[in-house]
Each structure stands twice: as structure tokens, then as C-alpha cells.
Amino acid sequence: MKIGIVGVSGFGGSELLRLVASHPAFELAWVGGESTAGQRLDARFPALAGHPAGALTIAPFVPDALGHLDLLFASLPTGRSREPLARVPARVRVVDVGGDHRFVDGWTYGLTELPGQRDAIRRTTRLANPGCFPAAALLPLAPLVRHGLIDTEGIVIDAKSGVTGTGRGGASDFGYVETSEDVFAYGLAAHPHVPEMETALERIAGGAVRIAFTPHIVPMKRGILATCYARPRPGVTQAQLVEAARADYADEPFVRLHAPANGRSAHTAWASGSNLAFLTYAINPRTGHVVATGAIDNLGKGAAAQALQNANLMLGVDEAAGLRGLPVWP
Amino acid sequence: MKIGIVGVSGFGGSELLRLVASHPAFELAWVGGESTAGQRLDARFPALAGHPAGALTIAPFVPDALGHLDLLFASLPTGRSREPLARVPARVRVVDVGGDHRFVDGWTYGLTELPGQRDAIRRTTRLANPGCFPAAALLPLAPLVRHGLIDTEGIVIDAKSGVTGTGRGGASDFGYVETSEDVFAYGLAAHPHVPEMETALERIAGGAVRIAFTPHIVPMKRGILATCYARPRPGVTQAQLVEAARADYADEPFVRLHAPANGRSAHTAWASGSNLAFLTYAINPRTGHVVATGAIDNLGKGAAAQALQNANLMLGVDEAAGLRGLPVWP
Amino acid sequence: MKIGIVGVSGFGGSELLRLVASHPAFELAWVGGESTAGQRLDARFPALAGHPAGALTIAPFVPDALGHLDLLFASLPTGRSREPLARVPARVRVVDVGGDHRFVDGWTYGLTELPGQRDAIRRTTRLANPGCFPAAALLPLAPLVRHGLIDTEGIVIDAKSGVTGTGRGGASDFGYVETSEDVFAYGLAAHPHVPEMETALERIAGGAVRIAFTPHIVPMKRGILATCYARPRPGVTQAQLVEAARADYADEPFVRLHAPANGRSAHTAWASGSNLAFLTYAINPRTGHVVATGAIDNLGKGAAAQALQNANLMLGVDEAAGLRGLPVWP
Amino acid sequence: MKIGIVGVSGFGGSELLRLVASHPAFELAWVGGESTAGQRLDARFPALAGHPAGALTIAPFVPDALGHLDLLFASLPTGRSREPLARVPARVRVVDVGGDHRFVDGWTYGLTELPGQRDAIRRTTRLANPGCFPAAALLPLAPLVRHGLIDTEGIVIDAKSGVTGTGRGGASDFGYVETSEDVFAYGLAAHPHVPEMETALERIAGGAVRIAFTPHIVPMKRGILATCYARPRPGVTQAQLVEAARADYADEPFVRLHAPANGRSAHTAWASGSNLAFLTYAINPRTGHVVATGAIDNLGKGAAAQALQNANLMLGVDEAAGLRGLPVWP
């Protein structure tokens, strides 16, 4: 199957490139970009010198001319996808890794493990991949909402992200000197992932969901830990939290439940380079808050690997094809 | 004035050593340790070769024999201070940087900027220095509690700490390979700083305070950011939060209010190597939660520099002596 | 083909596990260890929970009982392989990733790209994998020696390694706090890789080779850059250096020549997670020294991936099987 | 004494600011910059909010108008100092931390510990501060050259630097994602510090010196390790190397000799935040090369602290004033 990637020079595009190049049923047939159009791929990524993909030339993005592709991954800056992706021929499936089509009419939201999503993804030709923070937070929260175990007003999500979560454009703000040995909160006033998370949970809850979300940048390249706090419904126990997640994710190939060990949650490093999500559930002994954590690779389950999982479903191949590699450790 | 440090080989002890060595009125007269007793200090810290302090020999800790000191800083592992510190001669002032005497009878709690603390510190000879997480969280929360601006049940404190926060013994669990490129939550079941924080706030509130506290380790050496979430009392505005802090900390030399800039909180890096604490206040627009952050150096305001500030007060010298240095950046 | 790994809990063993698990023709049939024997693999590596390999139990190492394997990878601490590997049944091929059998009778040295090695590797059943520093330094130097372009007395190799190069046992010396923001030289008196490098080059040179080798630890997990300095034979030009390497490595799937760009060598990050080696050649304009750099992943070409390449040859499968994945970036 | 800093927003300027603010005899009377002129200093450095220096306004650089200063530190990008510094009134002493006046007529080179320099520095009003790499390499090499212990043709200097060595402008090329987990060599064709190092050593040697210099960037903020390789004169022993350095640096307050311990050199982390230089000497047992390392903080002995030492001498105050603080560790 012939695959294209537009936005190949960004962080998400780079990870898509790595995953597509190893996929047993995909052929990388086209790569496109904006500022880098005209360069050979191995001029942009010297590590590709000598690799077949390295000889590809980054093309300008002319959407109408991509009718030879079976599927296009679009990893463009937010705000830059709507117009061009509308011009991609209808027969070409599109996975938009960027943020412009989430919960937009005509597009299917693609966090595969949410209730009912898998079948919808199989049938769609226009898929909006979830944001990285929503991927990390919705996976631990969805079973709690679906099984009515938590109060959906006033959920607090405190997320810690590596720098690639900001995108390669955004990352130009993140110099080595300024970023190492530092932590800060951002998005205190607003963040585009909040409406996405609220909408996704409202569809499950059948009612209003309100989230206080505070993202933080920590000095690492990859990884997100979302620490979620919610009020349990009366009488809810930690065992019920775990049981709900176990029931919902029993057959999921990429979700792992991790019971706290020595009081520790799962680690973001466990997911590095993979499509895995590690979930940990606890109840705080002082206040009774539910504390649920989701640990992912923001470029994996939070972007490129999730996109590949969706592409597999859309093209009718094995859902885990190209995604079975173990995480990269150390 | 003759100063001693026991536990000089740990992280907190090392920073005390640096601060005491530069203090205009203090003379480092004695250093002690357990496993390192008998070594010259510059065998333990090669950087001290050629410095007067380097020629000191680390002595075994015989508390009864320290009567020649004016003040002893104790930076021992939790659980190891009670018995020996009880044997230090009464005329020697003691600052316990460890966790064994916080809110223990006969000891004064030493987060200087809390209401009423400064005078009590001036009068005491036995001081319990606050924990690093409490220092980061209590400073932003205290004015909100004191002025009745938040609900004191169900405060959430999500803290991000560098590795030195675990102490040098604890840090032996934190290898470079395991720690870099990773984030995780710990203390999900319990953490010794929770009773300390609750007690400190209850004294201010005059009533019960309950805190859900989740610490995280992030890949850096120094720094803590405490992100605190609380429900405001009805009608409370962001301006009132800031005004309360401004009123309480108007004359404090080491507390800085930082209004969110581009939605960002203060950074932990701003405090590195100093006794400063940077506070940021916001109200979350979706849920109305108060979001208050405290950024400190866990070895500064969270341990050694705070201890020096207390020692200055106890010995009647200028409170900021030895603490006026700018933070270390880059 | 049934594959075993002994020493699976170390850094090299972990990377072997990742590579073997993705290999199209290999089945991971046995894992062994010393201190971890009896544990399930996913208790040691929580990221393997849910993966088939995670259900394997780490077995004690009883070499005589491994007759069912086609090949055994041994990744044991130096000094611990000789006796047990002598007891592995003759029909089981052995790749020793450790340092005990390099240039030992009965064992074939396995830096595949050195002159004449590939055929010897195909025929052997006992293979000594090269050390990580030799892999980084011999690849750039071998063509220069073979074509007589440099003086073989007095080669200087200044190497910079990430922490995993020290092995997981060694890395226990490398705490996060002690390692970040630091560089130092070690092995100033001796290093076990020096005889290995000299012997390998002497076989090519047909005469004595003497090397001054200084390894350094830099604050990263993976990667080695070997910067090699040698005196050129009279009249030798930079073009001749490059031409020699190009001639020798023309058909090599894992060696890449990188001409200096803006005066910069290839980067270690380009090789991360792969079996690639990037070579850069220059002549210093002030002294005429040849300056040749080799950039590898110490766990890739420097250990596990190189071992897999050798195993492929020994078992008669495609040499690049399981090694075609792109490097991991970012 | 009234002190000014132009280029205060750069890395070197920031460290000068920190040092001058703590100096017992200096008053920071003026700060200037180019792109940041007109900003308050605490708008540029939020950590200065509340500090007296924070209220200073960054002024445009009008050299003729600085007659009220006793001394001006200039930390401007290379190539931008010559014209404006020529216009500073003669009575104002100038320390140029940048690279435009090294070994330029009318300017005194200021690596204080080189033979004969201290007296020249005391008498000058125009001082060229050494480059960071020269500071790290000349200190270990100077005694060897002065005492005739090494061959001065064909010295190899392989240096490893943190990112701040490139300057804040240069560091904009060094994003967190691109820099962490990576090492590379640069300056393979030329580097401006080579003529500086050769000239400094030629003045000591009284003859030609030729250096092959290869700098590398390693993932840290501060620190330089220069590993220097040279051929000893016949019969020279390691003890003679050490003895030469001991003789030359016996009374130097900022130079430390560190004998290899377990084969390890001094660490760059030992010098962090200080004016110290740690030197280690060895003779390679295979080739007989002298291997001499210099470990400094590139912003300390390599820039700002060295500049302060020179300023102290020029102004007739205690040479170590403001420089007695211990290194920052951890």
C-alpha cells in the first residue's frame, strides 16, 4: 500500500517515517513538506543516507496530485491543515495527526480504545488523530467515566511532557540551556486540548464534563505523564477503578494496567518508542481523590504510533502491524 | 560564630557547606558524618582541595562533645536524629534539616515566612527546618488559607522534584540511565510531608485541612515545582489571590510573586542556588479551581538556604546574611 | 531458529532482547541471568507486561542444558564467561558480547566489516563480539591502515561514551546527580580495549600498532564518538582518506561516510537504536594530523546490533535481518 | 568602585552579573545591551525581580558616555567590540571577555597564571580575557612548554564543551531535542581559538608551536574538559610533569593539581560556578604520549570569573575578592 507523509520534517513526521519504513505492508511512496520542499530526505535527516527512504525528495504539498496514494499522514502545524486536506482526492484515506479536525464534522476521532471508536475508524476515510495530552489522560479516565465511578465536574489533569510535545516549531523556543534543569507550568489560561478532552469524555458520560488542565514542560525529549485527580462517586473503591479499566481494556493490545509498586506509578520511559500506554490507579488516603495516571510516549501513543494503528484499521490490515516492537530501553 | 554541620556528605550537607563557607559571620568549626568519619573533607569533595574547609577532618558524631559550637546544622537521614540531637548541649543551637522534629514538642517549625514564625524562630534554640515539598507548597497556599480564600478540604498538590530531593542515600536508587528521559509519580499511598503540610495549614486555618499530595521525580538535579489546586470560596477572584500573597509577603526578602506570562508559571530554574521562592496564582477558566504554583530550589529554600536563614535569626545576625547571592544561571 | 540470551538484565542484554523480539526468523526460546534468575522477565522489565517475551522466566545459567538452542547470546560481565561458555554444547552457536574471548584461540573476532572477517564469521560457531570502543574506532581507522595512509605508531584515540558503555553493573557508579553536567577522562593508566584495538589493526597492518586511548564519560545514555588522530604518510590527502574508506565500505549496509558539514563530524545521535556507524575524515590544517571520527550507538554497532549481524551470518540468514529499522530520532 | 557590563544578556554577561553583584568592593553601576536595550534587567531575568540589580534598565551602548565607570566588562559577540571599545574614555578600565582583542597591540592578554602575566595585568587598562578553550588547555600545557618537557610541534587538544561555550547567540542552534543524547566534533577545518593558543604558547616556548584542536559539544550547560596529547622530550617522567606544574602554580589560588585516582582525571563538575581549574597529568603507557587534562567551568575560569580576577588586579583590590565561593554541587 502506498503511503505518503506531509510534514515529514517535524518531530511527529520523523517518527511516522521511522514507523512506516518498518511496516510490513506499507511502502513510503511520497513525502512532503513546506520549508524543506526540494531537499532530499537524507539532507534533512543525515541518518537516512544510504537508506532507501533517504533518496526521496521532499515535495511541495499539492493535495490534488496525491491520487496515487492509499493513505496520507498529515503532520502539519495547527491551523494549516483544513484547506489543503479538503483538497486531497476522496479515494485517498487521510490521517490528520495535527489538531485541526478533532471533533469536526466529516472526521472520525481516532483514540482507538475509546468506546465504539474502533468500528468507526475502520469505516472512515478521514481520521483526526488525538492530541498527545488527551491520549495520556483519556485512556485512564474513560473507564472511570463510562462506569460512573467519578464525578465529571472538576476533574484535575496535571500533565508533564517532554519537549517534543511542543512540535518542532514550538521546540525552537526550547534551547538546551533554558530547558535542562527546569520545570514550569504553562497554558494556565487555556490550552487547545481541553475542549478535545471534555468533548471526548462527554460523549462517554452523556453529560457535562469540566476539566482543569495544567501542562508542564520537564527536561526530556519524549514522554507524557498525565496525573488525573477526580472525586469518586460514594463508596467507590480502588479495586473498582482497576476492575473497570481491566474490563474495558481486556483485549487491547497497547494498554497496560500497572498496579502501584512501592507507591510508584508506571514510568514514561517504559513506553518510549512504542504505542503502549501504562495506566495506574490509586485512591488518595487523605482526601479520597481518585488518582489515575497515564504514561505514554507523546510521539508514540500520543502521535505517530497511534496514527499508524488507525491507518492499519482504515486499510484493513492487522491493527498491530508495524507496532509490535518493544519499547526502546535504555 | 562557630558553626558545625553533621551529615556533611549528603546533598543538603554539601549545600550547607557551600553557604556556611561564604557566610560573613560564620566560621565552619566542625563537620561530622557517619560512614565518612575519618576522611578529610577534600577526600570526599575533591573540589575543596586547596580550600581551607578541605583540610577539615570529618569527625564521628559525638553530640555531647560539641559544646564549643554556637550552632549545629544536622542533616541526617530521617529517623536518625532524635536520640543524638537530644544529647547536644543546651547552649548549642540546633537546626535540624532532617524530618525528625517537625511539629515535635520543644522544637520550633522553621518556615520563616509563615504567620508568626519569625519571632518564634528568633527565640528558639531547637529548630525543625521544613521539608522541601512543604516549603514549595506552603508558601503559595498559606496566604490563601489565612485570608479564607479557599476550601481547605480536598486541596490537591502535584509536585515535581529533581533527584536531590530524595537525599543522597535515596539517590542511589536514581541512576543516570534510569532517571534521564523519565517521569513517574511516587508516594501514591503515603508521604511523610503530608502531615507536616496539613498541620502547618491547620495552625493557620484554625480548622481541618486535608491534602492529596502526589510527588513526581523529573530528570533534573535540583528544583521543585508544586502545583496546588483548590476550590475557591464563592466569589473569590484571581486579583484577591494575588493581593493576599502580596499583603503577607510584602516585606519578605526571599518571596517573589510572578504573574503568569503567556500563561506560564515561574520556573524552578529561576531559584537555583538561592533561597528564593517564586509564586504564581491563576484561576482555571473551565472549573474555577485556584491553581497556585511554588517554584524553589529544593536544596535552597527547601533545605540548606532556609536553614541558614533560620540560623541567622536564631543567632541574631542579619536574616539575609550569606543569602544575597543571585541564583545560578545558566 | 531458537535463540537464547544469558545476561538479559544488563544494558546489552536488554537491547538484544528488543532486537531478537523483532527479528523475522528468530524465536526467543530462553533467557538466563544470575542475580535475577527465577523472576519473570516482565517483573524485571515492566514494559514487557503483556508482551509474549514478558512471560518468560529468567533461568539460572546451566550451559550444558542449552542443547535445544540454535544460538546463544552471552552478555555477561567481563571475567565471567570463559568457564561456562566452554560448557555450551558444540552444536549451539555462541556469540559472546562480553570481553572474555576477543582474540582467543577457537573464537572468531566479529567486527564484520574488517578485511576478511565476514567469511570467517559465516564459518564459525564461536564468535567474540567486538568491544564498543573498538567498534567506534576500528571502523574509521581500518581503511587508513590497510591502504597504508597513516603511521601506525602513536595513534591517539579520544573517545566519548554515554553511561551504558560501562555496563549495568558499572553504571551503578553513575548516579544521575553525579553524571549530569559532568565530563571526565578515565582509563588513564590502562583499558582492556587497547590490546583489542592494537591486535585488530596489527592483523591489517602486518606490523606493530601502538595506540594512546583515552575514554571519557559524557552525560548521555547511549552513543560513542571516537575521535582518532594519526600522522599521515607523506603526501596523503583528505581525498585519499575518503577514497580508501569508500573503497573498503562500498558494499557495507551499515557504514556511512559523512563529509564534514560546516566543519562538523557526524553525530552520535544519528546512530541511536541502530547498527549504523558514521565516519568522518579530515586533515587538521595546522599540524597535518589525520582526524577521523566514528559515531555509533554503543548498544547498537558497539554491542547488541553488531551481535545480531554476526548471528545472522553464522545462521545463514540475511545479514541485515532484524537490523533495517531506522535510528530512533528524536 | 563603579562597574559596568555591556552584553549583560548573554551567558557570559549573566555570570558576570552574578559575580559582580556579590563582589565586596564593586557596585554595579551600569548595564548595557543591544537587542535588549530599554528593558529593565528583571524583565530579561525574572529571577532578579526584587533584587536591587533587577531595577537597572539595560542601556544602549554609547561608549563615550561611560566616563563615570571605573571598569567596563564587555561581553559582546566576536567582531563587534573593536570599534565601540576604542571609544571608551581612557580613564575607564576595560576587560573584553569577547574575542576581538586577544594578542592585539595595546591590549594585555589576561590568563593570569601564565608566566609574567600577573604584573602586566596589574598595569594595564585594556585587557583581553582569554577564550574558554585556551583557558582549559593552556593551564595544563604552559608548565610543560616552559620547562621544555614536551615537543611543541604536533600537540593535539581534544576538548569537550557544554553548550554555553557557544554563546547565547550560538546556543540558539542548540535546541534541547537536538543536543541531549548527542556528541559531535566541530571546527574540523578551523577555530578562532587555535591562533590564540599557539601564540600564547609560542611566547612561553620562544619558538614555533603547532596545535591540532578539535572541540566537541557534549550535552551539558557548563564545563570544558581539554584533553591534551603531546610527545614528551626524551626521558621525561610523569613525576616531572607534575613537578613542573606544582612549581609554576604553587602560589596560585585557583589552580588545583589532581593526581589520577582509579585512572580518572579531574571532573568538570568540580569547577562549576567557580574560577577553579583542575589539572591532571599522565603518561600513556602504550605510546608514551603526555596526556594532560584541564577541567574548568567555561563561564568561570573560561570567561566571567577569570574576567573578575583580572578586574581585581587592574583595580588594585584583593585578587580573589568575589571569587572565594565554593563550586556549586550538586
Side-chain angles (χ1 to χ4, degrees):
Chain A
M1 289 162 178
K2 294 189 184 310
I3 307 294
I5 303 171
V6 63
V8 71
S9 300
F11 294 138
S14 301
E15 185 71 349
L16 276 166
L17 181 64
R18 184 175 78 94
L19 294 174
V20 170
S22 292
H23 194 286
F26 289 178
E27 176 201 349
L28 183 63
W30 182 87
V31 292
E34 297 185 330
S35 54
T36 55
Q39 293 183 26
R40 266 174 63 118
L41 208 49
D42 57 8
R44 184 73 183 167
F45 298 105
L48 296 194
H51 190 280
L56 289 172
T57 296
I58 303 175
F61 186 23
V62 183
D64 326 75
L66 298 177
H68 62 296
L69 297 178
D70 291 295
L71 185 140
L72 174 71
F73 290 106
S75 186
L76 296 167
T78 298
R80 304 273 275 281
S81 295
R82 289 221 173 188
E83 187 275 331
L85 293 188
R87 290 163 44 209
V88 175
R91 71 162 295 279
V92 183
R93 288 164 180 80
V94 178
V95 175
D96 185 2
V97 184
D100 288 349
H101 293 98
R102 295 170 192 151
F103 297 109
V104 165
D105 274 356
W107 291 75
T108 301
Y109 186 66
L111 184 52
T112 324
E113 291 82 1
L114 293 195
Q117 289 301 100
R118 186 172 272 108
D119 284 344
I121 295 167
R122 281 200 180 98
R123 288 188 307 262
T124 194
T125 64
R126 291 295 178 272
L127 187 127
N129 217 52
C132 54
F133 289 120
L138 293 175
L139 288 172
L141 287 173
L144 309 186
V145 170
R146 182 156 171 258
H147 294 262
L149 302 176
I150 59 170
D151 186 352
T152 56
E153 297 281 337
I155 297 169
V156 168
I157 301 175
D158 186 292
K160 299 86 183 166
S161 176
V163 172
T164 57
T166 64
R168 196 162 195 178
S172 62
D173 291 343
F174 293 95
Y176 185 82
V177 174
E178 288 78 9
T179 304
S180 68
E181 287 285 301
D182 186 40
V183 178
F184 65 97
Y186 67 105
L188 287 174
H191 192 284
H193 287 174
V194 176
E196 179 184 342
M197 291 190 280
E198 289 183 349
T199 303
L201 290 179
E202 285 176 344
R203 295 197 172 191
I204 298 170
V209 175
R210 285 295 168 272
I211 293 173
F213 174 60
T214 313
H216 300 74
I217 294 290
V218 300
M220 59 186 193
K221 295 196 288 186
R222 291 178 176 223
I224 290 179
L225 186 75
T227 311
C228 310
Y229 302 87
R231 288 285 184 192
R233 292 278 159 76
V236 167
T237 65
Q238 183 163 338
Q240 284 175 283
L241 308 175
V242 174
E243 192 44 47
R246 199 185 309 276
D248 284 9
Y249 297 134
D251 300 323
E252 290 298 341
F254 299 116
V255 179
R256 304 274 185 274
L257 300 194
H258 177 76
N262 298 322
R264 294 187 180 184
S265 74
H267 293 238
T268 61
W270 295 355
S272 189
S274 81
N275 193 39
L276 295 175
F278 291 86
L279 313 184
T280 298
Y281 292 94
I283 288 194
N284 183 275
R286 305 295 293 175
T287 64
H289 277 95
V290 170
V291 183
T293 63
I296 64 169
D297 181 341
N298 60 296
L299 297 180
K301 191 67 182 170
Q306 170 65 75
L308 203 74
Q309 181 183 2
N310 286 327
N312 285 338
L313 288 166
M314 293 165 75
L315 291 167
V317 305
D318 171 9
E319 180 177 345
L323 295 170
R324 290 199 172 83
L326 292 184
V328 178
W329 190 90
Chain B
M1 288 160 180
K2 293 190 185 307
I3 307 294
I5 303 173
V6 63
V8 71
S9 300
F11 295 137
S14 302
E15 185 71 351
L16 276 166
L17 181 64
R18 184 174 78 92
L19 294 174
V20 170
S22 292
H23 193 286
F26 289 178
E27 175 201 349
L28 183 64
W30 181 87
V31 292
E34 296 184 329
S35 55
T36 55
Q39 292 183 28
R40 266 174 61 116
L41 208 51
D42 58 7
R44 183 75 184 165
F45 298 105
L48 296 194
H51 190 279
L56 290 173
T57 296
I58 303 176
F61 185 25
V62 182
D64 325 73
L66 298 177
H68 61 296
L69 296 178
D70 291 293
L71 184 139
L72 175 70
F73 290 106
S75 185
L76 295 166
T78 298
R80 305 272 277 282
S81 295
R82 287 221 173 188
E83 186 276 330
L85 293 188
R87 290 163 44 208
V88 175
R91 71 164 295 280
V92 182
R93 288 166 180 79
V94 178
V95 175
D96 185 2
V97 185
D100 288 349
H101 293 98
R102 295 170 191 151
F103 297 109
V104 166
D105 273 356
W107 291 74
T108 301
Y109 186 67
L111 185 52
T112 324
E113 291 82 1
L114 294 195
Q117 290 300 103
R118 185 172 273 108
D119 283 343
I121 294 166
R122 281 200 181 97
R123 291 188 305 263
T124 195
T125 64
R126 292 295 178 270
L127 187 127
N129 216 51
C132 54
F133 289 120
L138 292 176
L139 288 171
L141 286 173
L144 309 187
V145 170
R146 181 156 174 258
H147 294 261
L149 301 177
I150 59 170
D151 187 353
T152 56
E153 297 279 338
I155 296 169
V156 168
I157 301 175
D158 185 292
K160 299 88 185 164
S161 175
V163 171
T164 56
T166 65
R168 197 163 194 178
S172 63
D173 291 343
F174 294 96
Y176 185 82
V177 174
E178 288 77 9
T179 304
S180 68
E181 287 285 301
D182 187 40
V183 178
F184 64 97
Y186 68 106
L188 288 174
H191 192 283
H193 287 174
V194 175
E196 177 183 344
M197 291 190 280
E198 290 181 350
T199 303
L201 290 179
E202 285 175 347
R203 295 195 171 193
I204 299 169
V209 175
R210 286 295 169 272
I211 293 172
F213 173 60
T214 312
H216 300 74
I217 296 289
V218 300
M220 58 186 194
K221 295 196 287 188
R222 293 177 175 226
I224 289 180
L225 186 75
T227 313
C228 309
Y229 302 87
R231 287 286 184 190
R233 292 278 159 75
V236 167
T237 64
Q238 182 163 336
Q240 284 176 283
L241 307 175
V242 174
E243 192 43 49
R246 198 185 310 275
D248 284 9
Y249 297 134
D251 299 323
E252 291 298 340
F254 300 116
V255 179
R256 303 276 185 274
L257 301 194
H258 177 75
N262 297 322
R264 295 187 180 183
S265 75
H267 294 237
T268 62
W270 295 353
S272 189
S274 82
N275 194 38
L276 296 175
F278 290 88
L279 314 183
T280 299
Y281 292 94
I283 287 193
N284 183 276
R286 306 295 294 174
T287 66
H289 277 96
V290 169
V291 184
T293 64
I296 64 169
D297 181 343
N298 59 296
L299 296 180
K301 190 66 183 171
Q306 170 67 74
L308 202 75
Q309 182 182 2
N310 287 327
N312 286 338
L313 288 167
M314 293 164 74
L315 292 167
V317 305
D318 170 9
E319 180 177 345
L323 296 170
R324 289 201 172 81
L326 292 184
V328 179
W329 191 90
Chain C
M1 290 161 179
K2 293 188 184 309
I3 306 294
I5 303 172
V6 63
V8 70
S9 300
F11 295 138
S14 301
E15 184 72 349
L16 275 167
L17 181 65
R18 184 174 77 94
L19 294 174
V20 170
S22 292
H23 193 287
F26 288 179
E27 175 200 350
L28 183 63
W30 181 87
V31 291
E34 298 184 330
S35 55
T36 55
Q39 291 183 26
R40 268 174 61 117
L41 208 49
D42 56 9
R44 185 73 184 165
F45 298 106
L48 295 194
H51 189 280
L56 289 172
T57 297
I58 303 176
F61 185 23
V62 183
D64 326 73
L66 298 177
H68 62 294
L69 296 178
D70 291 294
L71 186 139
L72 175 71
F73 291 105
S75 186
L76 295 166
T78 299
R80 303 272 276 282
S81 296
R82 287 222 175 188
E83 187 275 330
L85 293 188
R87 290 163 45 209
V88 175
R91 68 164 297 279
V92 182
R93 289 164 178 80
V94 178
V95 175
D96 185 2
V97 185
D100 288 349
H101 292 99
R102 296 169 191 153
F103 297 110
V104 167
D105 274 356
W107 291 74
T108 301
Y109 186 66
L111 185 52
T112 324
E113 291 82 2
L114 293 195
Q117 289 300 103
R118 185 171 272 109
D119 284 343
I121 294 166
R122 281 201 181 97
R123 289 188 307 262
T124 196
T125 64
R126 292 295 179 270
L127 188 128
N129 217 52
C132 54
F133 289 120
L138 293 175
L139 289 171
L141 287 173
L144 309 185
V145 170
R146 181 157 173 256
H147 294 262
L149 302 176
I150 58 171
D151 187 352
T152 56
E153 299 280 337
I155 296 169
V156 169
I157 301 176
D158 185 294
K160 298 89 182 163
S161 176
V163 171
T164 56
T166 64
R168 195 162 194 178
S172 63
D173 292 343
F174 294 97
Y176 185 82
V177 174
E178 288 77 10
T179 304
S180 68
E181 286 286 303
D182 186 40
V183 178
F184 65 98
Y186 67 106
L188 288 173
H191 192 282
H193 287 173
V194 175
E196 178 184 343
M197 290 190 281
E198 290 182 349
T199 303
L201 291 179
E202 285 175 346
R203 296 198 169 189
I204 298 168
V209 174
R210 285 297 168 272
I211 292 173
F213 173 61
T214 312
H216 300 73
I217 296 289
V218 300
M220 59 186 192
K221 295 197 288 186
R222 295 178 173 222
I224 290 179
L225 186 76
T227 313
C228 309
Y229 302 86
R231 288 285 186 193
R233 293 278 159 74
V236 166
T237 64
Q238 183 163 336
Q240 284 175 283
L241 308 175
V242 174
E243 192 43 48
R246 198 185 307 276
D248 285 10
Y249 296 135
D251 300 324
E252 291 298 342
F254 299 116
V255 180
R256 304 274 184 275
L257 301 194
H258 177 77
N262 298 320
R264 295 187 180 184
S265 74
H267 293 238
T268 61
W270 295 354
S272 189
S274 82
N275 194 39
L276 296 174
F278 291 87
L279 314 183
T280 299
Y281 292 95
I283 288 192
N284 183 277
R286 305 294 295 175
T287 65
H289 277 95
V290 169
V291 184
T293 63
I296 65 169
D297 181 342
N298 60 296
L299 296 181
K301 191 67 182 171
Q306 170 66 77
L308 202 76
Q309 181 183 4
N310 286 328
N312 285 338
L313 289 166
M314 294 164 74
L315 291 167
V317 305
D318 171 9
E319 181 177 345
L323 295 169
R324 289 199 172 83
L326 293 184
V328 178
W329 192 89
Chain D
M1 289 161 179
K2 294 189 184 307
I3 306 294
I5 303 171
V6 63
V8 71
S9 300
F11 294 137
S14 302
E15 185 71 350
L16 276 166
L17 180 64
R18 183 173 78 92
L19 295 173
V20 170
S22 292
H23 194 286
F26 288 179
E27 175 201 350
L28 183 63
W30 181 88
V31 291
E34 297 184 329
S35 54
T36 54
Q39 293 183 26
R40 266 173 64 115
L41 208 50
D42 57 8
R44 184 71 184 167
F45 297 105
L48 296 193
H51 190 280
L56 289 172
T57 296
I58 303 175
F61 186 23
V62 183
D64 326 72
L66 298 176
H68 60 297
L69 297 178
D70 291 293
L71 184 140
L72 174 71
F73 291 106
S75 187
L76 295 167
T78 298
R80 305 271 277 281
S81 296
R82 288 222 173 187
E83 187 276 330
L85 293 189
R87 291 163 43 209
V88 175
R91 71 163 295 279
V92 182
R93 289 164 178 79
V94 178
V95 175
D96 185 1
V97 185
D100 288 348
H101 293 99
R102 296 169 190 152
F103 298 109
V104 166
D105 274 358
W107 291 74
T108 301
Y109 186 66
L111 185 53
T112 324
E113 291 83 1
L114 293 195
Q117 289 299 103
R118 184 172 273 107
D119 284 343
I121 294 166
R122 281 201 180 96
R123 290 188 306 263
T124 194
T125 63
R126 291 294 178 270
L127 187 127
N129 216 53
C132 53
F133 289 121
L138 293 175
L139 288 171
L141 287 172
L144 309 186
V145 170
R146 181 155 172 259
H147 294 262
L149 302 177
I150 58 169
D151 187 352
T152 56
E153 297 280 336
I155 296 169
V156 168
I157 301 175
D158 186 292
K160 299 87 183 163
S161 175
V163 171
T164 55
T166 63
R168 194 161 196 180
S172 62
D173 291 344
F174 293 97
Y176 185 83
V177 174
E178 288 76 11
T179 304
S180 68
E181 286 286 301
D182 187 40
V183 178
F184 65 96
Y186 67 105
L188 288 173
H191 192 283
H193 288 173
V194 176
E196 178 184 343
M197 292 190 279
E198 290 183 350
T199 303
L201 290 179
E202 285 175 345
R203 296 195 169 190
I204 299 169
V209 175
R210 285 294 169 272
I211 292 173
F213 173 60
T214 313
H216 300 73
I217 295 289
V218 300
M220 58 187 193
K221 294 196 287 188
R222 292 177 174 225
I224 289 179
L225 186 76
T227 312
C228 310
Y229 302 86
R231 288 286 185 192
R233 293 277 160 74
V236 167
T237 65
Q238 183 164 335
Q240 285 175 282
L241 308 175
V242 174
E243 193 42 49
R246 199 184 310 274
D248 284 10
Y249 298 133
D251 300 324
E252 290 298 341
F254 299 116
V255 179
R256 304 274 184 276
L257 299 194
H258 177 76
N262 299 320
R264 294 187 180 183
S265 74
H267 293 237
T268 60
W270 295 354
S272 190
S274 81
N275 194 38
L276 296 175
F278 291 87
L279 313 184
T280 299
Y281 292 94
I283 288 192
N284 184 275
R286 306 294 295 176
T287 65
H289 277 95
V290 170
V291 183
T293 63
I296 64 168
D297 180 343
N298 60 295
L299 297 181
K301 192 66 181 171
Q306 170 66 76
L308 202 74
Q309 181 183 4
N310 286 328
N312 285 338
L313 289 166
M314 294 164 74
L315 291 167
V317 305
D318 171 9
E319 180 177 345
L323 296 170
R324 289 198 171 85
L326 292 183
V328 178
W329 190 91

